[in-house]
Amino acid sequence: MAKDFGKLAQEIIQQVGGEQNVHSLVHCATRLRFVLKDRTKANKDALSQTAGVISVVESGGQFQVVIGNNVPKVYAEIMNIANIEAGDTKDLPKASVINRAIDFLAGSFTPMIGVMAGSGILKGVLAILSVAGWIDPQSGTYLVLDATASATFYFLPVFLAFSSSQKLKTSPYIAVGVATALLYPSLVEIASNGKDLVLFGFDVAVMTYTYSVIPILLAVWAQSYVQRFFEKIWHESVRNFFAPACTLAVVVPLTLLIIGPIGSGIGHALASALSWMMEVSPVLTGLFVGGIWQVLVIFGVHWSVVPIMINNMAVIGFDVIAPLTGAAVLGQAGATFAVFLKSRNKEIKSLAGSTAFSGVLGITEPLIYGITLRFKKPFIYGVVGGAIGGAVMALSTVKMFAFGFSGLLLYPVLIGPESSLLFYSFGLATAFLVGCILTYLFGYNDDMLPKSANNVEPTTTSENTVVHTIPLEKFSLISPLEGEVHNLTSIADPMFSSEALGKGVAILPTKGELTSPVNGIISSIFPTKHAYNIVSDDGLEILIHIGIDTVKLGGKHFKTLVTEGEHISAGQRLALFDIAAITQAGYSVMTPVIITNSEHFLDVIVTAEPHIAQNEPLIKVLQTTTA
């Protein structure tokens, strides 16, 4: 993980198309969630290869950059250096209703993750202290600590009003005014005592909105339209006063009369559906949740399930979904631990060990993108382990009484009436062991690693990233690009196809990353960053020209990672380029790789493979005399 978060923030902003291409940005526990104005301006391949970035996922209408546990620091640096302001919604590509709903829910809840998890931990610790008899529930100390732990959830509508209003680009202060009106003591007292309330001649179904989720989300959504209406009709001289007054006067009664009852009805329906599923078949429910959860994590939509969990706690006092997700988490952790046990590669072993530990604590994105999904089979066996562990867990009721992260850290918030910590433990252990054993026996071996990852020595480049010294035959080149291999004589540019500059090959890249084909020195870099001259340690003079006529771009869409005169290693990253943007600008990315002093050698032999990956053998140069 990169330590210079400011530099990483700059690289991320550059690769997503610049701050002018960002409509909005929030972060969750491990990833940055961008809503971009133009997806084609983002360089996903280059960003995926950036040091400090675990992976890039596109889902739910969001461009999600997985960072890991340091995401708050990277987010803070981005917001410090970039002026990210929401543009007109007409600038955005039209998203589906489902994607817009997921984006709204994720954007409303992700800013609250830290305080909800922290409050949940405090609530769990207080429960442990009370059960152990170390604190008197009637004492002032208990009262203060309980208020500290419970206030976030009691006043949850206020928190949600603020975050959801920012997501909808409506006034957060009016939204908080709506939420606090719903929680006003006299209204809470009426609801608690079952008294009648008549509003404008209509009987109001008064209910308690503390701990609630759905009513306030719907209320803020309605506010976004009502507020815009009043801001249009009032003159600017009085707009700042009368628009908020009218909005509050409409939205609060509207919520009490219509929106609140509808939202509460939806919440009770969701809670009833979950109870029905658990009654019909707890084992199948456990299999389903334990198996599907990490698939949701991959696509970054798992946070959209959080409202259901919190709603369950508000409606029935507890939730049974979150404990089942613990099995899914431990299944992936077990699969990763198996890779740690079996691999002899130092880099993979270190990564698997550290991410498996974070996995058992509930954070799985680093291990998923770094290990299990990377090698595919470990992810599948981790899902199997999660499903079986979820089924075991569901044999008895396990309840969550406050929000927390899945895994071992969930234990404190599971303490309560009729909640089985024993079966939670059995489910976690089963998921971990099944994922571990299946992966160890069938899911991983070091042969899955790229050949270039075996028997290599790491070296540090000027970009502070680890590359590898790849064993080379004398007078040979490995491929600097991944893509389709073409005869040099077949390309459109006569300067290259005539072989006037030397013999070689052309590659149509499918990945916007250029690496060094040899050990040598960068003799020159074109000012427009599209062409590189290299002199190998063997004396080969090599020209790599990214694209045809791309000099006309003036360096736009290219990024150089090395400097002239720098000694480079085979496989080291030299440059990044945006294939989509270059193509959209009307230029071909067909890239000649030429031995410019080929006249000094007997022949230049090019691979016969139609498609090549980076670091695979590309060219062998035959000498005129024996070396």
Side-chain angles (χ1 to χ4, degrees), residues 31-33 55-59 62-66 299-300:
R31 62 183 79 189
L32 300 167
R33 294 170 175 263
S55 182
V56 178
V57 181
E58 292 183 79
S59 181
Q62 297 177 332
F63 190 84
Q64 303 171 13
V65 183
V66 183
F299 293 104

Side-chain angles (χ1 to χ4, degrees), residues 341-500:
L341 293 176
K342 199 168 185 181
S343 179
R344 295 294 176 265
N345 180 282
K346 291 183 179 179
E347 181 181 346
I348 296 298
K349 201 173 187 71
S350 174
L351 179 62
S354 61
T355 56
F357 176 74
S358 66
V360 299
L361 297 180
I363 304 298
T364 56
E365 279 96 334
L367 67 85
I368 288 177
Y369 294 112
I371 298 293
T372 61
L373 196 61
R374 175 180 176 182
F375 299 112
K376 296 181 177 63
K377 286 185 178 180
F379 179 79
I380 294 172
Y381 291 132
V383 167
V384 173
I388 296 175
V392 170
M393 199 176 292
L395 291 173
S396 181
T397 303
V398 183
K399 302 176 181 179
M400 179 180 76
F401 298 95
F403 183 82
F405 283 112
S406 301
L408 298 185
L409 292 181
L410 201 64
Y411 270 103
V413 298
L414 302 179
I415 299 174
E418 300 179 356
S419 180
S420 177
L421 295 181
L422 182 62
F423 272 84
Y424 182 70
S425 301
F426 283 162
L428 294 185
T430 301
F432 186 90
L433 290 174
V434 170
C436 182
I437 292 171
L438 290 178
T439 301
Y440 191 89
L441 295 178
F442 311 111
Y444 177 81
N445 58 68
D446 283 339
D447 292 339
M448 294 178 176
L449 293 169
K451 293 181 180 179
S452 60
N454 295 316
N455 303 317
V456 298
E457 297 178 1
T459 57
T460 303
T461 74
S462 61
E463 285 293 300
N464 295 320
T465 58
V466 175
V467 298
H468 301 283
T469 303
I470 301 174
L472 296 172
E473 293 183 29
K474 198 170 185 180
F475 301 107
S476 65
L477 284 74
I478 58 175
S479 180
L481 297 162
E482 174 182 318
E484 299 173 7
V485 180
H486 294 258
N487 291 329
L488 187 62
T489 55
S490 68
I491 67 175
D493 193 314
M495 182 179 68
F496 297 114
S497 61
S498 66
E499 297 187 336

Side-chain angles (χ1 to χ4, degrees), residues 228-271:
R228 281 198 294 270
F229 171 76
F230 285 116
E231 286 178 343
K232 288 179 181 178
I233 67 173
W234 284 108
H235 188 269
E236 61 182 11
S237 61
V238 294
R239 181 183 300 145
N240 290 341
F241 307 106
F242 284 91
C246 292
T247 302
L248 286 169
V250 170
V251 175
V252 172
L254 184 65
T255 302
L256 291 172
L257 284 168
I258 301 174
I259 295 175
I262 290 175
S264 296
I266 294 173
H268 281 86
L270 290 172

Side-chain angles (χ1 to χ4, degrees), residues 260-326:
I262 290 175
S264 296
I266 294 173
H268 281 86
L270 290 172
S272 298
L274 179 64
S275 299
W276 176 81
M277 289 173 58
M278 292 298 291
E279 289 177 5
V280 170
S281 180
V283 173
L284 287 179
T285 303
L287 276 170
F288 178 75
V289 176
I292 198 67
W293 183 254
Q294 291 302 328
V295 178
L296 299 180
V297 171
I298 291 177
F299 293 104
V301 299
H302 55 303
W303 283 109
S304 62
V305 184
V306 169
I308 300 176
M309 298 177 180
I310 297 177
N311 173 77
N312 291 334
M313 288 186 286
V315 175
I316 59 178
F318 59 86
D319 172 66
V320 296
I321 297 178
L324 297 176
T325 67

Side-chain angles (χ1 to χ4, degrees), residues 65-129:
V65 183
V66 183
I67 301 295
N69 295 337
N70 285 316
V71 68
K73 298 178 181 178
V74 179
Y75 174 82
E77 290 290 345
I78 290 177
M79 300 309 289
N80 184 46
I81 64 175
N83 182 24
I84 297 177
E85 295 181 356
D88 211 335
T89 53
K90 67 182 181 182
D91 297 332
L92 295 175
K94 188 67 174 178
S96 68
V97 174
I98 293 176
N99 280 347
R100 291 201 300 271
I102 291 173
D103 180 50
F104 172 57
L105 290 174
S108 298
F109 277 92
T110 50
M112 300 165 49
I113 292 170
V115 68
M116 287 196 302
S119 297
I121 290 173
L122 288 176
K123 201 169 182 66
V125 170
L126 190 59
I128 293 174
L129 294 175

